[in-house]
Amino acid sequence: IIGLATASAILLLNSLIGVCANVIALLTVWKTKYLHNSFGALCVSLASCNLGICLIFFGWCSVATLAVVDSTERVFFDSELGKRVGQIALLFLYGSIYTHLAVSFNRMMSLLFPLRYLLLFDFRKSLALLFVVWTCAVIEIIPYFWSTECFFIYEYEVALWTFAETECGEFFGFYFDFVPSITVIICILTMDVIALSRLRSNHAAASLTQMNADQRKRRKIEIGFFIQSLCQTVPFLLAVLCFHVVSRYASSDWQLFFAMTFSWVMLHTIDGIIICVFHTRREVFR
């Protein structure tokens, strides 16, 4: 049987690092001028989702669990409150998934249409893209308001998030969680391959022409944005595979914990760290 206190302590440390990293990421976007654009807006959306999930893991999966480990009183994680926490966690998860998709789309368009990119992703269109992202996320969690049959809860006894073992829970767990996640991954990989091929062709063409200082600076920033997008795609892909595929072959509670719970919070921690690594400088803290 999994050591509940040990598992909760692992989640506590990981989620605390994630909270700090994503708060710094939000501060970085706010105080960095070259991120005041559509890509920066997507970074805010992504860091907000990461922060929300890390806070849930910190408060619900860690602190609340540790509070009842040696207590005769038990927090009813499967109560209505627990179901609402699960619903909010799914909202941030789906928001993160669709924001990753929007980031890859943004980077592909910037490389395919560099001259028209600023017109394609002006302030209003960026807001419209974020509206679509969060509308899709909200639509996916609406069924969980009928919490009698459809819910997503944290089973603190085994430190796992699970869908309801009902027909409704299994249906939405597969068609509203697994299928969209795999579809988004396929779309992201396709757009990243297209963007990468265009980046290589642009690099070959750029070597034959003379660019001024501003053009070189902007090109360097755009390439950095694309590399950041690729770096964030990798942990997202691994987390989805761990949760839906690797977990099926787990033979112990600890393997299930690392495949389904730890990998989830680790994704959102790494996401925030990647934004910080690419953009956070000493000046941000002044």
Side-chain angles (χ1 to χ4, degrees):
I1 298 176
I2 191 171
L4 185 57
T6 303
S8 299
I10 292 173
L11 295 179
L12 180 68
L13 177 61
N14 198 319
S15 59
L16 185 58
I17 295 173
V19 168
C20 295
N22 286 287
V23 168
I24 294 174
L26 290 171
L27 179 65
T28 297
V29 176
W30 176 42
K31 301 190 72 173
T32 304
K33 183 174 292 187
Y34 69 81
L35 288 174
H36 295 175
N37 50 32
S38 61
F39 184 79
L42 291 172
C43 286
V44 169
S45 176
L46 194 56
S48 299
C49 294
N50 296 334
L51 179 60
I53 290 179
C54 287
L55 286 172
I56 289 174
F57 271 87
F58 178 78
W60 191 249
C61 304
S62 304
V63 176
T65 302
L66 287 171
V68 301
V69 169
D70 298 319
S71 174
T72 55
E73 297 181 4
R74 291 290 184 257
V75 176
F76 292 97
F77 285 82
D78 57 348
S79 65
E80 197 64 29
L81 173 61
K83 295 173 182 178
R84 290 291 166 256
V85 171
Q87 188 179 29
I88 295 172
L90 286 179
L91 173 64
F92 286 128
L93 172 62
Y94 296 147
S96 172
I97 290 174
Y98 292 121
T99 302
H100 274 287
L101 180 63
V103 167
S104 291
F105 176 70
N106 179 278
R107 292 300 85 209
M108 182 186 70
M109 296 299 288
S110 72
L111 292 172
L112 289 179
F113 308 102
L115 299 179
R116 299 176 57 192
Y117 171 72
L118 293 179
L119 293 177
L120 293 172
F121 288 91
D122 59 15
F123 180 73
R124 293 180 61 183
K125 293 185 179 67
S126 299
L127 288 181
L129 181 60
L130 286 175
F131 178 78
V132 171
V133 165
W134 283 97
T135 298
C136 291
V138 170
I139 289 173
E140 286 203 47
I141 67 162
I142 288 177
Y144 299 98
F145 281 109
W146 288 269
S147 58
T148 304
E149 295 293 329
C150 293
F151 55 85
F152 181 69
I153 61 170
Y154 181 68
E155 293 187 354
Y156 79 96
E157 298 92 343
V158 289
L160 295 176
W161 288 93
T162 59
F163 290 92
E165 295 181 358
T166 62
E167 184 177 351
C168 178
E170 293 176 356
F171 175 85
F172 284 102
F174 183 79
Y175 290 103
F176 275 57
D177 189 81
F178 175 71
V179 172
S181 297
I182 296 300
T183 303
V184 167
I185 284 177
I186 294 173
C187 293
I188 287 176
L189 292 177
T190 301
M191 289 189 289
D192 285 349
V193 169
I194 294 173
L196 185 60
S197 63
R198 186 55 183 260
L199 180 63
R200 293 185 61 183
S201 63
N202 287 349
H203 181 72
S207 63
L208 302 176
T209 61
Q210 193 71 23
M211 294 187 295
N212 58 41
D214 289 339
Q215 289 174 326
R216 286 196 296 270
K217 182 179 179 180
R218 178 164 181 78
R219 177 177 172 78
K220 182 178 179 181
I221 291 175
E222 292 295 331
I223 292 175
F225 286 168
F226 177 67
I227 295 174
Q228 176 190 334
S229 174
L230 287 180
C231 290
Q232 290 177 307
T233 297
V234 174
F236 171 60
L237 171 62
L238 293 177
V240 172
L241 291 177
C242 283
F243 191 91
H244 290 289
V245 180
V246 175
S247 62
R248 297 177 182 271
Y249 300 95
S251 58
S252 68
D253 289 339
W254 275 111
Q255 290 177 2
L256 275 175
F257 167 76
F258 282 108
M260 297 184 66
T261 306
F262 180 77
S263 65
W264 185 9
V265 68
M266 178 60 76
L267 161 65
H268 301 285
T269 298
I270 292 176
D271 245 357
I273 291 175
I274 288 174
I275 296 176
C276 295
V277 168
F278 274 85
H279 305 292
T280 304
R281 300 295 180 266
R282 188 179 302 173
E283 293 76 11
V284 170
F285 302 100
R286 292 178 181 174

